[in-house]
Amino acid sequence: MRAFSYDRPDSVDAALRRVAGQPGTTTEAAVKFVAGGTNLLDLMKADVMRPERLVDISRLGLDRIEETADGGLRLGALARNSDTAYDERVRTRYPMLSKAILAGASAQLRNMATNGGNLLQRTRCYYFYDTGTPCNKREPGTGCGALTGVNRIHAILGASDKCIAVHPSDMCVALAALDAVVRVSGPKGERSIPFADFHHLPGDTPHIDSTLAADELITAIDLPAPGFAKHSTYLKLRDRASYAFALVSVAAALEMDGQTIRTGRLALGGVAHKPWRDAAAEAELAGKPASLETFREAARVLLRDARGHSHNAFKIGLAERAIVRALAEAAGVEHP
């Protein structure tokens, strides 16, 4: 463990003063916020991340879940994952989100992990964690070991020749499908970031995970109404039934008019550098009957640019079947 300093401010303004003037994005920062620490501390122990200073924000009072004026919910950034998943309003109005959170990690980790931290967790790519191997995300310019190495868990959509890592979160997949909004505070005041714009694809800068600046703090996540409570689900396919990251996951949400789909939302996890949505695939659902053929066509459109690598081409077929199954579950349609 490398030496670092530690501080615990008692207000958002005080916390922001501790990181004032840091250039770049939060993944590049020398001073890091820490709350639950369920990912950051592991990365520090593995010498993957080397912050010079930790600013403990766990006592800033950002742990409430509150109603919003438009009928949605505001999830405090420091609310624990378990508290969020079991909140009665989340369970009844946003069941897909509750299910996604409970599909992640273990009960012990969910009791510590925070909502804001969940958005900022880093990839679980083997090469990112192994400091003896090349990784453009960990050390830009060194190469991507996964491209020609073991890449079974890696991306099939939105990757680049610089990085094929995937985003590990379950919660974020559901938030993407719900069109959540991330609220942040910084030296220029508050701003809101649509969830679709929060995370980055790798491109030429895979070390930059999000649009959050190094001197900004996530304060809340807004869930708009409605929550697709009647016709939604979260499906996670993984190597074992618990405490495993997704090979493919699907958040599916439908607004139905009888047996006709009025609108549909689809977000995939485990397949890209960020939760993956595709407007064309969702357009394929609108106005169509809720049938397996409709769902298969939406899956084909969504996966039209999917590309496998030496060990993960199986994920394309797995993703297609997962999309069909999740949509069928959301619509209440029998499926094989």
Side-chain angles (χ1 to χ4, degrees), residues 34-76:
V34 63
T38 56
N39 188 207
L40 176 59
L41 297 184
D42 282 347
L43 290 167
M44 290 173 63
K45 291 175 184 177
D47 206 29
V48 174
M49 296 183 72
R50 304 166 182 173
E52 298 171 4
R53 186 180 190 183
L54 292 184
V55 179
D56 184 344
I57 58 172
S58 61
R59 299 190 182 184
L60 297 189
L62 301 174
D63 57 352
R64 293 182 292 275
I65 299 176
E66 301 172 314
E67 301 283 344
T68 60
D70 66 353
L73 285 179
R74 176 163 296 165
L75 311 178

Side-chain angles (χ1 to χ4, degrees), residues 259-283:
Q259 293 302 308
T260 301
I261 301 169
R262 192 176 294 168
T263 59
R265 306 265 185 91
L266 272 175
L268 266 64
V271 299
H273 200 257
K274 59 183 287 186
W276 189 264
R277 280 186 67 182
D278 188 304
E282 293 178 3

Side-chain angles (χ1 to χ4, degrees), residues 235-256:
L235 174 66
K236 181 176 182 177
L237 304 180
R238 46 189 163 175
D239 285 322
R240 58 180 185 268
S242 67
Y243 198 43
F245 294 96
L247 291 170
V248 174
S249 65
V250 183
L254 302 172
E255 185 180 347
M256 304 285 293

Side-chain angles (χ1 to χ4, degrees), residues 43-331:
L43 290 167
M44 290 173 63
K45 291 175 184 177
D47 206 29
V48 174
M49 296 183 72
R50 304 166 182 173
E52 298 171 4
R53 186 180 190 183
L54 292 184
V55 179
D56 184 344
I57 58 172
S58 61
R59 299 190 182 184
L60 297 189
L62 301 174
D63 57 352
R64 293 182 292 275
I65 299 176
E66 301 172 314
E67 301 283 344
T68 60
D70 66 353
L73 285 179
R74 176 163 296 165
L75 311 178
L78 297 179
R80 305 294 177 177
N81 284 177
S82 55
D83 292 337
T84 303
Y86 289 119
D87 185 279
E88 189 62 24
R89 294 163 295 180
V90 175
R91 293 178 67 181
T92 56
R93 290 152 57 180
Y94 305 91
M96 176 174 61
L97 176 59
S98 178
K99 189 173 182 180
I101 294 172
L102 294 175
S106 65
Q108 294 90 337
L109 287 171
R110 293 192 298 269
N111 286 341
M112 286 297 296
T114 63
N115 293 335
N118 194 294
L119 272 58
L120 298 175
Q121 62 179 304
R122 309 300 304 275
T123 184
R124 274 21 179 230
C125 172
Y126 321 123
Y127 300 93
F128 177 69
Y129 270 79
D130 186 348
T131 57
T133 63
C135 174
N136 286 320
K137 180 176 282 295
R138 178 172 25 83
E139 294 184 62
T142 59
C144 175
L147 277 170
T148 56
V150 179
N151 47 45
R152 182 173 180 271
I153 65 172
H154 289 74
I156 57 173
L157 289 165
S160 72
D161 61 357
K162 301 294 191 296
C163 180
I164 58 172
V166 299
H167 195 274
S169 173
D170 292 290
M171 181 181 185
C172 286
V173 182
L175 291 174
L178 290 168
D179 279 338
V181 174
V182 183
R183 298 176 62 86
V184 306
S185 290
K188 297 179 180 179
E190 297 184 355
R191 68 182 179 119
S192 299
I193 308 171
F195 205 83
D197 300 331
F198 186 78
H199 295 103
H200 283 193
L201 290 177
D204 293 328
T205 55
H207 61 292
I208 300 175
D209 286 346
S210 75
T211 59
L212 189 71
D215 56 359
E216 290 183 315
L217 171 68
I218 298 174
T219 57
I221 303 159
D222 284 355
L223 305 179
F228 297 95
K230 292 184 179 179
H231 297 287
S232 65
T233 194
Y234 183 75
L235 174 66
K236 181 176 182 177
L237 304 180
R238 46 189 163 175
D239 285 322
R240 58 180 185 268
S242 67
Y243 198 43
F245 294 96
L247 291 170
V248 174
S249 65
V250 183
L254 302 172
E255 185 180 347
M256 304 285 293
D257 184 2
Q259 293 302 308
T260 301
I261 301 169
R262 192 176 294 168
T263 59
R265 306 265 185 91
L266 272 175
L268 266 64
V271 299
H273 200 257
K274 59 183 287 186
W276 189 264
R277 280 186 67 182
D278 188 304
E282 293 178 3
E284 279 294 324
L285 296 169
K288 301 288 180 62
S291 67
L292 294 180
E293 183 51 42
T294 296
F295 304 152
R296 291 188 186 106
E297 184 57 30
R300 284 192 287 268
V301 171
L302 192 150
L303 295 166
R304 64 193 180 279
D305 295 324
R307 176 186 168 218
H309 300 277
S310 52
H311 300 105
N312 75 345
F314 75 94
K315 290 177 75 169
I316 299 174
L318 185 66
E320 182 173 356
R321 294 188 295 274
I323 292 168
V324 173
R325 178 178 161 189
L327 286 169
E329 289 181 5

